[in-house]
Every structure is written in C-alpha cells, then in structure tokens.
Amino acid sequence: MKKKIVICCGIILFGIIAFFIYTRTLGAPVVGTITGPEWEYLTIGEKQYEITHEPFVSGIDKGSFIGIATNGETKFRIYSITGNDEYVYCQWEWEGEIYKRIQ
C-alpha cells in the first residue's frame, strides 16, 4: 500500500514539474519579436525596446516571466525587471541582455 502511495505521489510531482517546464519553454505564449542584425530591438505588443548596457540594471534584477519573443528561429524568454517597468530582461540559452523601452 505504501509503495502505491509513493509511486502516485512521484507521478503527480513529475507531472507538476513537467507542466512548469513546459509553460516556461515550448508552451509559453509568444508575446514579442526580436529584430535587427544583432538583436537590438524588441517589440512586445505596442511597446518597443532597444538593447542597453546601462550598469545599474542587470539580469540579477529579473522578475516575473512575461513570455517568449522570437526572431523566426531563436526563442527568447522575457522577464520583467523588479521595481522598474521601463526595462525587460531577454534571455536565450545561457546569455541575456537588458532592453530599455523607447516607445
């Protein structure tokens, strides 16, 4: 009886983890596009962002997950910046950049 409970709990836990990973990767909503020869511009709805290298904002400040942006072949995960709605953090693979709103 205890084995069945442990196995059921393991299956449920695996399902929850798989769902969480899916919603952050393949199943995440596409909310924006990346453009430019070196991915300088990000468009999310009506808002436009440009890559910035300002030292007071970094990837450590990333907040909640917003969605996915794509340039046609690469998917980028977009995160808000905690305490600042003027910037977003865009991450692909292990790299990422900060984008500042220009419109």
Side-chain angles (χ1 to χ4, degrees), residues 64-82:
S64 61
F65 177 72
I66 297 172
I68 298 289
T70 183
N71 69 347
E73 57 188 50
T74 305
K75 289 187 176 184
F76 305 83
R77 293 178 304 281
I78 303 171
Y79 297 90
S80 65
I81 297 294
T82 306

PDB file of all heavy atoms in Angstrom, residues 64-82:
ATOM      1  N   SER A  64       9.316  38.564 -12.854  1.00  0.00           N
ATOM      2  CA  SER A  64       8.404  37.512 -13.320  1.00  0.00           C
ATOM      3  C   SER A  64       8.546  37.260 -14.825  1.00  0.00           C
ATOM      4  O   SER A  64       8.921  38.141 -15.591  1.00  0.00           O
ATOM      5  CB  SER A  64       6.967  37.876 -12.988  1.00  0.00           C
ATOM      6  OG  SER A  64       6.608  39.075 -13.624  1.00  0.00           O
ATOM      7  N   PHE A  65       8.230  36.054 -15.213  1.00  0.00           N
ATOM      8  CA  PHE A  65       8.290  35.626 -16.604  1.00  0.00           C
ATOM      9  C   PHE A  65       7.128  36.244 -17.367  1.00  0.00           C
ATOM     10  O   PHE A  65       5.978  36.154 -16.950  1.00  0.00           O
ATOM     11  CB  PHE A  65       8.224  34.098 -16.654  1.00  0.00           C
ATOM     12  CG  PHE A  65       8.216  33.514 -18.017  1.00  0.00           C
ATOM     13  CD1 PHE A  65       9.353  33.531 -18.797  1.00  0.00           C
ATOM     14  CD2 PHE A  65       7.071  32.933 -18.532  1.00  0.00           C
ATOM     15  CE1 PHE A  65       9.359  32.971 -20.060  1.00  0.00           C
ATOM     16  CE2 PHE A  65       7.062  32.375 -19.783  1.00  0.00           C
ATOM     17  CZ  PHE A  65       8.213  32.392 -20.551  1.00  0.00           C
ATOM     18  N   ILE A  66       7.401  36.899 -18.498  1.00  0.00           N
ATOM     19  CA  ILE A  66       6.371  37.548 -19.298  1.00  0.00           C
ATOM     20  C   ILE A  66       5.922  36.649 -20.442  1.00  0.00           C
ATOM     21  O   ILE A  66       4.733  36.489 -20.689  1.00  0.00           O
ATOM     22  CB  ILE A  66       6.884  38.892 -19.863  1.00  0.00           C
ATOM     23  CG1 ILE A  66       7.196  39.849 -18.723  1.00  0.00           C
ATOM     24  CG2 ILE A  66       5.871  39.497 -20.819  1.00  0.00           C
ATOM     25  CD1 ILE A  66       7.874  41.130 -19.156  1.00  0.00           C
ATOM     26  N   GLY A  67       6.857  36.078 -21.159  1.00  0.00           N
ATOM     27  CA  GLY A  67       6.532  35.237 -22.308  1.00  0.00           C
ATOM     28  C   GLY A  67       7.750  35.028 -23.179  1.00  0.00           C
ATOM     29  O   GLY A  67       8.883  35.208 -22.755  1.00  0.00           O
ATOM     30  N   ILE A  68       7.489  34.675 -24.428  1.00  0.00           N
ATOM     31  CA  ILE A  68       8.547  34.361 -25.388  1.00  0.00           C
ATOM     32  C   ILE A  68       8.539  35.394 -26.508  1.00  0.00           C
ATOM     33  O   ILE A  68       7.484  35.819 -26.963  1.00  0.00           O
ATOM     34  CB  ILE A  68       8.304  32.956 -25.997  1.00  0.00           C
ATOM     35  CG1 ILE A  68       8.339  31.877 -24.928  1.00  0.00           C
ATOM     36  CG2 ILE A  68       9.285  32.648 -27.119  1.00  0.00           C
ATOM     37  CD1 ILE A  68       9.697  31.586 -24.357  1.00  0.00           C
ATOM     38  N   ALA A  69       9.731  35.768 -26.948  1.00  0.00           N
ATOM     39  CA  ALA A  69       9.894  36.564 -28.166  1.00  0.00           C
ATOM     40  C   ALA A  69      10.694  35.703 -29.136  1.00  0.00           C
ATOM     41  O   ALA A  69      11.469  34.849 -28.718  1.00  0.00           O
ATOM     42  CB  ALA A  69      10.635  37.857 -27.879  1.00  0.00           C
ATOM     43  N   THR A  70      10.507  35.937 -30.410  1.00  0.00           N
ATOM     44  CA  THR A  70      11.216  35.140 -31.401  1.00  0.00           C
ATOM     45  C   THR A  70      11.692  36.015 -32.546  1.00  0.00           C
ATOM     46  O   THR A  70      11.115  37.069 -32.806  1.00  0.00           O
ATOM     47  CB  THR A  70      10.331  33.991 -31.929  1.00  0.00           C
ATOM     48  OG1 THR A  70      11.082  33.197 -32.828  1.00  0.00           O
ATOM     49  CG2 THR A  70       9.085  34.502 -32.602  1.00  0.00           C
ATOM     50  N   ASN A  71      12.753  35.579 -33.187  1.00  0.00           N
ATOM     51  CA  ASN A  71      13.218  36.258 -34.395  1.00  0.00           C
ATOM     52  C   ASN A  71      12.997  35.386 -35.614  1.00  0.00           C
ATOM     53  O   ASN A  71      13.543  35.629 -36.668  1.00  0.00           O
ATOM     54  CB  ASN A  71      14.692  36.654 -34.271  1.00  0.00           C
ATOM     55  CG  ASN A  71      15.616  35.462 -34.278  1.00  0.00           C
ATOM     56  OD1 ASN A  71      15.199  34.318 -34.140  1.00  0.00           O
ATOM     57  ND2 ASN A  71      16.906  35.721 -34.397  1.00  0.00           N
ATOM     58  N   GLY A  72      12.223  34.342 -35.461  1.00  0.00           N
ATOM     59  CA  GLY A  72      11.939  33.423 -36.544  1.00  0.00           C
ATOM     60  C   GLY A  72      12.593  32.075 -36.356  1.00  0.00           C
ATOM     61  O   GLY A  72      12.084  31.063 -36.794  1.00  0.00           O
ATOM     62  N   GLU A  73      13.734  32.052 -35.692  1.00  0.00           N
ATOM     63  CA  GLU A  73      14.428  30.784 -35.483  1.00  0.00           C
ATOM     64  C   GLU A  73      14.852  30.569 -34.034  1.00  0.00           C
ATOM     65  O   GLU A  73      14.935  29.436 -33.583  1.00  0.00           O
ATOM     66  CB  GLU A  73      15.639  30.664 -36.403  1.00  0.00           C
ATOM     67  CG  GLU A  73      16.626  31.795 -36.254  1.00  0.00           C
ATOM     68  CD  GLU A  73      17.719  31.753 -37.307  1.00  0.00           C
ATOM     69  OE1 GLU A  73      17.383  31.628 -38.492  1.00  0.00           O
ATOM     70  OE2 GLU A  73      18.895  31.845 -36.933  1.00  0.00           O
ATOM     71  N   THR A  74      15.124  31.610 -33.291  1.00  0.00           N
ATOM     72  CA  THR A  74      15.549  31.504 -31.901  1.00  0.00           C
ATOM     73  C   THR A  74      14.441  32.010 -31.000  1.00  0.00           C
ATOM     74  O   THR A  74      13.808  33.011 -31.296  1.00  0.00           O
ATOM     75  CB  THR A  74      16.835  32.324 -31.666  1.00  0.00           C
ATOM     76  OG1 THR A  74      17.827  31.907 -32.595  1.00  0.00           O
ATOM     77  CG2 THR A  74      17.357  32.127 -30.264  1.00  0.00           C
ATOM     78  N   LYS A  75      14.236  31.319 -29.870  1.00  0.00           N
ATOM     79  CA  LYS A  75      13.252  31.766 -28.887  1.00  0.00           C
ATOM     80  C   LYS A  75      13.972  32.427 -27.718  1.00  0.00           C
ATOM     81  O   LYS A  75      14.982  31.938 -27.240  1.00  0.00           O
ATOM     82  CB  LYS A  75      12.423  30.588 -28.383  1.00  0.00           C
ATOM     83  CG  LYS A  75      11.475  30.054 -29.425  1.00  0.00           C
ATOM     84  CD  LYS A  75      10.571  29.013 -28.827  1.00  0.00           C
ATOM     85  CE  LYS A  75       9.561  28.568 -29.871  1.00  0.00           C
ATOM     86  NZ  LYS A  75       8.603  27.622 -29.324  1.00  0.00           N
ATOM     87  N   PHE A  76      13.435  33.545 -27.278  1.00  0.00           N
ATOM     88  CA  PHE A  76      13.989  34.321 -26.189  1.00  0.00           C
ATOM     89  C   PHE A  76      12.966  34.374 -25.056  1.00  0.00           C
ATOM     90  O   PHE A  76      11.803  34.682 -25.304  1.00  0.00           O
ATOM     91  CB  PHE A  76      14.287  35.758 -26.648  1.00  0.00           C
ATOM     92  CG  PHE A  76      15.177  35.840 -27.853  1.00  0.00           C
ATOM     93  CD1 PHE A  76      14.658  35.712 -29.135  1.00  0.00           C
ATOM     94  CD2 PHE A  76      16.528  36.050 -27.712  1.00  0.00           C
ATOM     95  CE1 PHE A  76      15.470  35.790 -30.243  1.00  0.00           C
ATOM     96  CE2 PHE A  76      17.351  36.138 -28.820  1.00  0.00           C
ATOM     97  CZ  PHE A  76      16.822  36.007 -30.093  1.00  0.00           C
ATOM     98  N   ARG A  77      13.380  34.106 -23.838  1.00  0.00           N
ATOM     99  CA  ARG A  77      12.497  34.232 -22.676  1.00  0.00           C
ATOM    100  C   ARG A  77      12.579  35.666 -22.171  1.00  0.00           C
ATOM    101  O   ARG A  77      13.666  36.201 -21.989  1.00  0.00           O
ATOM    102  CB  ARG A  77      12.919  33.245 -21.588  1.00  0.00           C
ATOM    103  CG  ARG A  77      12.698  31.800 -22.015  1.00  0.00           C
ATOM    104  CD  ARG A  77      13.147  30.803 -20.964  1.00  0.00           C
ATOM    105  NE  ARG A  77      14.529  30.935 -20.543  1.00  0.00           N
ATOM    106  CZ  ARG A  77      15.583  30.483 -21.221  1.00  0.00           C
ATOM    107  NH1 ARG A  77      15.415  29.909 -22.378  1.00  0.00           N
ATOM    108  NH2 ARG A  77      16.796  30.626 -20.756  1.00  0.00           N
ATOM    109  N   ILE A  78      11.415  36.281 -21.932  1.00  0.00           N
ATOM    110  CA  ILE A  78      11.365  37.677 -21.498  1.00  0.00           C
ATOM    111  C   ILE A  78      10.912  37.729 -20.048  1.00  0.00           C
ATOM    112  O   ILE A  78       9.909  37.126 -19.678  1.00  0.00           O
ATOM    113  CB  ILE A  78      10.397  38.489 -22.370  1.00  0.00           C
ATOM    114  CG1 ILE A  78      10.805  38.390 -23.832  1.00  0.00           C
ATOM    115  CG2 ILE A  78      10.377  39.944 -21.923  1.00  0.00           C
ATOM    116  CD1 ILE A  78       9.788  38.973 -24.766  1.00  0.00           C
ATOM    117  N   TYR A  79      11.650  38.493 -19.248  1.00  0.00           N
ATOM    118  CA  TYR A  79      11.345  38.676 -17.830  1.00  0.00           C
ATOM    119  C   TYR A  79      11.214  40.162 -17.526  1.00  0.00           C
ATOM    120  O   TYR A  79      11.908  40.986 -18.121  1.00  0.00           O
ATOM    121  CB  TYR A  79      12.459  38.103 -16.953  1.00  0.00           C
ATOM    122  CG  TYR A  79      12.658  36.625 -17.094  1.00  0.00           C
ATOM    123  CD1 TYR A  79      13.539  36.101 -18.028  1.00  0.00           C
ATOM    124  CD2 TYR A  79      11.960  35.730 -16.293  1.00  0.00           C
ATOM    125  CE1 TYR A  79      13.723  34.740 -18.160  1.00  0.00           C
ATOM    126  CE2 TYR A  79      12.138  34.364 -16.420  1.00  0.00           C
ATOM    127  CZ  TYR A  79      13.020  33.879 -17.355  1.00  0.00           C
ATOM    128  OH  TYR A  79      13.190  32.529 -17.483  1.00  0.00           O
ATOM    129  N   SER A  80      10.351  40.490 -16.596  1.00  0.00           N
ATOM    130  CA  SER A  80      10.263  41.874 -16.139  1.00  0.00           C
ATOM    131  C   SER A  80      11.471  42.162 -15.250  1.00  0.00           C
ATOM    132  O   SER A  80      12.143  41.250 -14.784  1.00  0.00           O
ATOM    133  CB  SER A  80       8.972  42.092 -15.368  1.00  0.00           C
ATOM    134  OG  SER A  80       8.978  41.316 -14.185  1.00  0.00           O
ATOM    135  N   ILE A  81      11.730  43.437 -15.021  1.00  0.00           N
ATOM    136  CA  ILE A  81      12.777  43.852 -14.087  1.00  0.00           C
ATOM    137  C   ILE A  81      12.082  44.311 -12.816  1.00  0.00           C
ATOM    138  O   ILE A  81      11.181  45.158 -12.857  1.00  0.00           O
ATOM    139  CB  ILE A  81      13.642  44.991 -14.670  1.00  0.00           C
ATOM    140  CG1 ILE A  81      14.390  44.519 -15.915  1.00  0.00           C
ATOM    141  CG2 ILE A  81      14.603  45.542 -13.636  1.00  0.00           C
ATOM    142  CD1 ILE A  81      15.436  43.461 -15.668  1.00  0.00           C
ATOM    143  N   THR A  82      12.469  43.750 -11.697  1.00  0.00           N
ATOM    144  CA  THR A  82      11.833  44.049 -10.427  1.00  0.00           C
ATOM    145  C   THR A  82      11.921  45.540 -10.108  1.00  0.00           C
ATOM    146  O   THR A  82      13.001  46.118 -10.105  1.00  0.00           O
ATOM    147  CB  THR A  82      12.506  43.233  -9.300  1.00  0.00           C
ATOM    148  OG1 THR A  82      12.479  41.846  -9.661  1.00  0.00           O
ATOM    149  CG2 THR A  82      11.789  43.429  -7.976  1.00  0.00           C
TER     150      THR A  82
END
